[in-house]
Amino acid sequence: MNLFSIQGLTKRFDALVATNDVSLEIEREGILSIIGPNGAGKTTVFNLLTGLLKPDAGKILYKGEDITGKKPYQIIRHGIARSFQVVSLFEEMTVLDNMRVGIQRNLGLMNRMFLEASNKAATEKSLELLELVGIAPLADHGASHIPHGDRKVLDLAMSLVSEPDTLLLDEPMAGLSPVERLRITNLIRKLSETRKIILVEHDMDLVFGISDSILVLHHGAILARGTPREIAANESVQSAYLGKEAS
Ligand SMILES: Nc1ncnc2c1ncn2[C@@H]1O[C@H](COP(=O)(O)OP(=O)(O)OP(=O)(O)O)[C@@H](O)[C@H]1O
Ligand SMILES: [Mg+2]
């Protein structure tokens, strides 16, 4: 059974069809990247998969279960988590407290009775995740005072608190320097060893270097799907997207 089985997924905003009859099978392993020009509908697909938006038509099966139209907190319980295109942290709190709030919130969703008892556990789990992503030394720093690259990493760590089997990353490289990009690339690779990664990214070096499979969206519809090699050689992709990017 595939991880996702998506059939006829459609989302309209008035006259605009942001997701146009998307049918897609997503396998359990590896890194899938979703690419396409600005406004192609990449973030909208993420919003549909995570319950932030309800589709107008279509069906989303996750591990065989119908999750269409479910609320974000229900979808998180199925094992799907995401990061956002624009990082939002609790600016006035430390890195560690950002993590703790995320964990308590997640536990709270699971079982409010655990909330008090979970204080120590939340700290331990926070430190463990900060260690995993490599920013444990920044635990006591104010979130607003750490470099942009570390903020992206913290946001990534926060998306791991629900221990997702599937992690959706929306432009994790946006605004990062080459050195920071390399760091995030290595982190994504590491995270992909134990969970499915679905990546939206405009950085084609990353996408073509890291992906097992690439999906190209154009005007909300699927233009192509294939391995990096197949996508690079695809003429309609080149004229709709890659060619334009290069010029
Ligand atoms: N909540 C909304 N209400 C109205 N229109 C929306 C909404 N969200 C997205 N859209 C529109 O849907 C289309 C797809 O937007 P989406 O954000 O999914 O694109 P994207 O591929 O993520 O683009 P980018 O690369 O710029 O992030 C765009 O035309 C956008 O303006
Ligand atoms: Mg987007």
Side-chain angles (χ1 to χ4, degrees), residues 51-237:
L52 241 53
L53 289 174
K54 280 193 182 192
D56 294 304
K59 209 170 194 182
I60 306 167
L61 300 185
Y62 183 68
K63 297 180 180 172
E65 283 187 80
D66 192 345
I67 60 164
T68 321
K70 286 198 177 182
K71 300 241 164 15
Y73 76 90
Q74 296 171 310
I75 287 182
I76 281 177
R77 283 187 199 159
H78 281 272
I80 304 170
R82 73 178 291 175
S83 72
F84 284 89
Q85 198 164 347
V86 178
V87 174
S88 103
L89 302 172
F90 301 104
E91 298 293 341
E92 70 287 0
M93 291 187 194
T94 63
V95 167
L96 179 65
D97 282 342
N98 268 274
M99 291 300 298
R100 280 157 41 97
V101 168
I103 284 171
Q104 298 251 347
R105 195 194 268 160
N106 184 57
L107 282 174
L109 295 173
M110 305 287 184
N111 186 342
R112 291 205 170 271
M113 282 194 335
F114 280 133
L115 221 111
E116 269 308 301
S118 66
N119 233 316
K120 188 157 167 279
T123 304
E124 278 168 14
K125 183 75 195 167
S126 298
L127 288 170
E128 186 187 304
L129 287 174
L130 291 175
E131 195 76 47
L132 175 74
V133 301
I135 56 168
L138 298 178
D140 294 328
H141 290 233
S144 58
H145 294 124
I146 63 173
H148 184 59
D150 292 315
R151 290 168 61 83
K152 289 288 234 189
V153 172
L154 174 56
D155 184 55
L156 249 169
M158 290 178 72
S159 67
L160 296 173
V161 301
S162 57
E163 303 191 336
D165 300 324
T166 299
L167 186 56
L168 312 184
L169 302 175
D170 199 350
E171 300 200 22
M173 299 297 196
L176 295 184
S177 69
V179 172
E180 289 170 325
R181 280 166 186 253
L182 188 60
R183 179 180 165 203
I184 303 271
T185 303
N186 290 334
L187 183 54
I188 293 172
R189 273 218 179 87
K190 179 171 161 186
L191 295 175
S192 76
E193 287 166 11
T194 45
R195 59 186 66 70
K196 179 74 184 186
I197 302 281
I198 305 178
L199 181 68
V200 164
E201 197 31 79
H202 285 289
D203 179 338
M204 290 303 120
D205 289 339
L206 171 72
V207 165
F208 281 87
I210 207 173
S211 307
D212 298 293
S213 176
I214 298 175
L215 175 78
V216 188
L217 286 182
H218 193 50
H219 299 309
I222 296 178
L223 183 67
R225 165 96 191 260
T227 62
R229 194 183 287 259
E230 288 164 349
I231 295 300
N234 184 306
E235 279 179 19
S236 54
V237 173

